[in-house]
Amino acid sequence: MDTRLFVLKEFKNTGHILGLDEGMIQEAAGVISAGGLVVFPTETVYGLGGDALNRESALKIYHAKGRPSDNPLIVHISDLASLGDLVCAISDTARTLMDSFWPGPMTLIFKKSSLIPYETTGGLDTVAIRFPVHPVARMLIDMAGVPIAAPSANLSGHPSTTTAEHCVDDLWGRVDVILDGGACEIGLESSIIDVSGVSPVILRPGAITMEDLATQLKKPVGVDPAISGSVSKDVRPKAPGMKYRHYAPRANMVLVCSKHEKSDETSDASIEKVAGEIFALLEEVRLRFSRIAVLCSAECLSKIDAQVRELNHKMAGQKGSHIILKNMGSVTEPYRIAHDIFADLRDCDRQGVDLIIAEGYPEEGLFVAVMNRLKKAASWQIIEV
Ligand code: TXA
Ligand code: MG
């Protein structure tokens, strides 16, 4: 299939959609309404979109992504008025969450109406709905005149895509159009909350945190067990996507975490411990891997930087690996760390890294979502110190 790349230059430079860009989005919208596939930017990650009401389009999405067809798609809308036709009922809880967080990085699961084909929902009676805030996503949905079904725009099992370049790497020749709207602002996929039952349950953590949800609902929200641990084969997770290996870089990956769970205990001392373990691990494995990347915070990096330089220097010309240090940002800026995770994992692949050692973070606020993605990328290989 021929893929066309539309670079939304005016959008990239100004953050606004001007005349020229509008024409490109109009053309892409025509592709969606004709049953084709369009990759588009959202505030979370890029999406691989098709007409959510057209079963053939849904099947094409699974095929383009190489995704098992029992893993349902998220349906994107651009106004609240279209929600009523797509779902059976909207609970008070759902309304509170919609009022608080839509448009934005939150997906809600509802009982589906008969308008939504089972191909879109992977055979489920429920449907995931998201109302994104990104102006390109919203204009595309508006112009297509239909809700857009879109999983993250990566090949199944690869890290999600947060720039159009990532989408070109994974999906060139597999979709009709790629709309380049620059880097996604958040960098992690939306928070998913199931509001189809009696009480709300978080199925995937994201930029809307558990604390944000609890504040609006005035009570703590349930969490699907698949979020915090690997799911055994006989348990069926509520979000079918949870059971697949996700975000996997080509390299082996291991996560080094502090046993302390809360940030007030994550003093300098526990970062020191994690840094010490990362360095010990580097010395232990350096003869077995040719390229090792360490993904860690600025604080952790400052503790091992000098030793790693020395190790790299010692190994130049000798048998042993080259170690790449990647500064993910300060632990005081979780938004920066979240923003770069998928790009950094992809960069490790590009640089031919064969082992990634990543620092774990205290599971609070946005770090819950960060850790969820890191654990999945590491296939749950975790060292606790
Ligand atoms: O930020 C996002 O949510 C991005 C952008 C493009 O909107 N989309 C995204 O889609 O991350 P995807 O397909 O990569 O992840 C959707 C997750 C999957 O784990 C899927 O199993 C779950 O949502 N899901 C979809 N429909 C569901 C349903 N009816 N019940 C439970 N889980 C559902
Ligand atoms: Mg995905």
Side-chain angles (χ1 to χ4, degrees):
M1 173 192 291
D2 283 338
T3 301
R4 287 178 296 160
L5 176 66
F6 294 169
V7 183
L8 302 174
K9 278 206 195 75
E10 294 182 32
F11 174 78
K12 262 182 144 172
N13 296 339
T14 63
H16 295 287
I17 302 170
L18 304 177
L20 185 71
D21 285 354
E22 222 178 282
M24 291 179 179
I25 298 171
Q26 183 79 61
E27 207 171 326
V31 169
I32 298 260
S33 28
L37 301 183
V38 173
V39 166
F40 63 98
T42 82
E43 67 275 21
T44 55
V45 298
Y46 272 75
L48 194 185
D51 179 350
L53 307 184
N54 176 343
R55 47 190 91 233
E56 299 299 327
S57 297
L59 294 175
K60 277 192 195 170
I61 292 174
Y62 291 113
H63 183 72
K65 208 177 140 85
R67 176 175 187 153
S69 57
D70 67 343
N71 190 359
L73 310 174
I74 293 180
V75 174
H76 296 69
I77 57 174
S78 58
D79 58 74
L80 285 180
S82 48
L83 182 66
D85 288 342
L86 307 176
V87 305
C88 280
I90 305 172
S91 65
D92 290 344
T93 300
R95 282 201 190 280
T96 306
L97 294 179
M98 286 156 52
D99 289 347
S100 311
F101 303 115
W102 269 0
M106 177 185 74
T107 296
L108 295 178
I109 310 283
F110 298 91
K111 293 247 156 56
K112 81 171 193 72
S113 77
S114 56
L115 252 190
I116 305 269
Y118 279 107
E119 283 77 2
T120 298
T121 66
L124 296 178
D125 288 322
T126 52
V127 60
I129 309 272
R130 176 153 129 70
F131 181 179
V133 75
H134 197 292
V136 173
R138 286 171 68 170
M139 186 173 270
L140 181 70
I141 303 163
D142 267 347
M143 287 178 167
V146 286
I148 295 184
S152 50
N154 52 283
L155 282 177
S156 188
H158 286 200
S160 295
T161 48
T162 56
T163 67
E165 289 76 17
H166 300 160
C167 303
V168 166
D169 286 346
D170 272 24
L171 297 171
W172 195 257
R174 292 174 162 262
V175 297
D176 298 291
V177 171
I178 296 177
L179 281 174
D180 179 354
C184 300
E185 199 184 324
I186 296 174
L188 296 181
E189 310 88 340
S190 60
S191 310
I192 304 182
I193 301 104
D194 186 351
V195 288
S196 68
V198 182
S199 40
V201 180
I202 302 174
L203 304 188
R204 180 173 73 186
I208 306 294
T209 65
M210 293 184 198
E211 293 85 346
D212 296 335
L213 296 167
T215 305
Q216 292 306 321
L217 295 174
K218 300 188 175 61
K219 59 177 184 202
V221 185
V223 177
D224 190 69
I227 289 177
S228 49
S230 183
V231 191
S232 76
K233 285 202 187 71
D234 31 308
V235 177
R236 185 177 160 82
K238 288 196 87 178
M242 295 285 188
K243 71 174 182 245
Y244 297 106
R245 186 173 183 231
H246 253 81
Y247 316 123
R250 278 193 278 275
N252 251 303
M253 180 163 162
V254 59
L255 196 55
V256 181
C257 302
S258 164
K259 275 190 193 120
H260 297 303
E261 294 226 308
K262 299 287 172 220
S263 56
D264 40 312
E265 296 166 52
T266 320
S267 54
D268 195 51
S270 69
I271 296 184
E272 181 99 41
K273 255 205 224 160
V274 169
E277 176 62 24
I278 290 177
F279 190 71
L281 205 57
L282 284 172
E283 289 204 294
E284 189 188 319
V285 300
R286 71 190 177 89
L287 292 175
R288 280 192 274 139
F289 295 90
S290 61
R291 233 163 224 275
I292 304 178
V294 177
L295 307 189
C296 67
S297 65
E299 288 81 357
C300 177
L301 189 130
S302 70
K303 296 186 193 297
I304 54 170
D305 195 21
Q307 288 168 293
V308 169
R309 274 170 206 270
E310 215 175 287
L311 204 57
N312 271 339
H313 187 66
K314 247 198 327 206
M315 288 181 325
Q318 286 179 29
K319 194 169 149 37
S321 47
H322 181 73
I323 300 161
I324 302 161
L325 289 178
K326 277 185 177 285
N327 182 352
M328 310 267 308
S330 167
V331 287
T332 62
E333 295 172 321
Y335 281 90
R336 212 187 122 191
I337 295 182
H339 182 267
D340 289 345
I341 280 184
F342 289 134
D344 280 339
L345 291 175
R346 282 181 172 265
D347 194 47
C348 287
D349 278 349
R350 231 178 21 86
Q351 295 198 50
V353 166
D354 47 6
L355 176 68
I356 300 171
I357 303 176
E359 175 190 5
Y361 302 98
E363 295 200 35
E364 276 183 339
L366 186 59
F367 277 131
V368 174
V370 167
M371 284 296 284
N372 172 259
R373 305 320 190 265
L374 285 175
K375 285 177 183 170
K376 285 181 166 187
S379 291
W380 310 91
Q381 295 197 77
I382 300 169
I383 298 174
E384 284 200 324
V385 290

